[in-house]
């Protein structure tokens, strides 16, 4: 897998043994089985929470809020210049308000 990709929970659920990549601790909490995969687990820091607050504020202003956990995942990807790989179309709202958010919908 590409170095610059973070896999969302819905992708992890279809992950095959031997695949490698990154995910967040939030995704691990949602899908603990992924602990058995060969993944780098990203942990949010204060800058990620601050970015998530800004994302949610903008999404609320345009009437398109997404789950809070997903704003943190998006913020982590933005702050680390990583692409989020997901099936969740609501992340398109983040892409619409932040040009630095890299998204791969599958």
């Amino acid at each position: 897998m590409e170095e610059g990709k973070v896999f969302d929970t819905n992708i992890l659920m279809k992950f095959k043994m031997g695949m490698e990549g990154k995910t967040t601790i939030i995704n691990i909490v949602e899908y603990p089985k992924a602990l058995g995969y060969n993944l780098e687990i990203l942990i949010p820091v204060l800058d990620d929470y601050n970015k998530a607050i800004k994302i949610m504020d903008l999404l609320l202003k345009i009437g398109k809020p997404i789950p809070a956990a997903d704003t943190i995942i998006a913020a982590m990807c933005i702050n680390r210049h990583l692409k989020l790989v997901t099936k969740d179309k609501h992340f398109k709202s983040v892409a619409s308000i932040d040009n630095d958010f890299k998204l791969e919908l599958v």
Side-chain angles (χ1 to χ4, degrees):
M1 291 289 154
E2 232 176 85
E3 278 293 310
K5 292 186 177 183
V6 174
F7 300 106
D8 199 14
T9 306
N10 50 48
I11 302 300
L12 295 177
M13 295 171 94
K14 302 291 183 187
F15 227 59
K16 297 196 176 28
M17 294 309 280
M19 294 174 74
E20 297 180 4
K22 295 176 175 54
T23 195
T24 73
I25 192 66
I26 295 165
N27 301 108
I28 296 297
V29 169
E30 291 178 332
Y31 188 64
K33 185 177 179 180
L35 278 173
Y37 303 159
N38 189 21
L39 297 167
E40 178 183 345
I41 301 170
L42 306 173
I43 309 292
V45 296
L46 182 59
D47 285 345
D48 299 320
Y49 292 112
N50 287 331
K51 181 68 173 178
I53 291 167
K54 291 175 185 173
I55 290 169
M56 184 63 87
D57 184 51
L58 290 170
L59 292 174
L60 287 167
K61 285 178 180 172
I62 65 169
K64 294 183 177 182
I66 65 173
D70 287 346
T71 63
I72 299 167
I73 293 168
M76 293 173 70
C77 290
I78 293 166
N79 287 342
R80 290 163 180 78
H81 309 286
L82 300 170
K83 181 185 290 185
L84 179 64
V85 181
T86 185
K87 293 181 181 182
D88 287 335
K89 290 180 173 57
H90 64 244
F91 280 104
K92 285 200 238 179
S93 297
V94 178
S96 76
I97 55 107
D98 193 314
N99 292 331
D100 292 327
F101 183 55
K102 300 172 191 157
L103 178 62
E104 181 179 327
L105 285 173
V106 294

